[in-house]
Amino acid sequence: MQALIERDGSDVHCAIGDPPIFAKADRVMEALHWAAGEQPLPVLVCSLSCGTGARKKVLFTCELCPYETHPDQNHTGCQPIPIIKLEWHSAWVLLPIFLSVLGILATTFVIVTFICHHDTPIVRASGREMSYLLLTGIFLCYVITFPVIAEPDVAVCSFRRIFLGLGMCFSYAALLTKTNRIHRIFEQGKKAVTAPCFISPASQLLITFSLISVQLLGVLVWFAVDPPHTVVDYGEQQTQEPEKARGVLKCNISDLSLICSLGYSILLMVTCTVYAIKTCGAPDIQ
């Protein structure tokens, strides 16, 4: 054994007279096998063979930590990954809040001005009903900032789904109805002196709310198919250093769902732009 440890074979000889062969003895257990009537020959093995009905005992092994945990400093256990969220005092939050407050104040000022001068020729000529709906949509676009920043829970996630595309839908539905009305009046004027159908304020409101109801119906289907709840995203803050890993608390709104929610508003916007181009040469008809 001493010769094996010191790798000195000067005093060790095999039974047939050949010098011994030394295998690596690092991190292995040693066993002495004696042959009957022969000189002892040291043999290196990883472990002793198990007898019938016995199994090897694992002294040490490494395991991956679960997905939502990371190793502790001593690498002897796993601990939960810290969960982060947007904070109201963060610099990334203060600027959007500031801009949203300015937008809300400006929109409120315009709405109050329209109400105070409701019967003046300028306000009446601008199309009061559609203007109020347009201002309501702009107001909602600024207000949605606060549910987006708030700490996610079921209620907050529900508000996000409802109002995320509703503000744009209000705005572009009102603009589309208004531009479509002007286009139809202009085209009808080329053919006859009679006015086209559905150009009264009540008809305009009915058309606009019909367009908005499509957005709300889509949101209801979304609620039924995938009820709102919170999730923790561990991939967004993924890092090569496990101790710096973070989970982000967010609502279960996927990119595809977000595109579908805003897609209808984009469709209204494109259609509104087409009508606006068609009526760019039309006279100012209200």
Side-chain angles (χ1 to χ4, degrees), residues 118 154 167 241 252:
H118 183 74
V154 175
E241 303 179 31
N252 62 323

Side-chain angles (χ1 to χ4, degrees), residues 130 177 184 197-210:
M130 294 298 101
T177 304
R184 289 188 294 111
C197 301
F198 305 109
I199 62 172
S200 64
S203 299
Q204 297 292 286
L205 289 175
L206 179 61
I207 295 173
T208 303
F209 282 114
S210 298

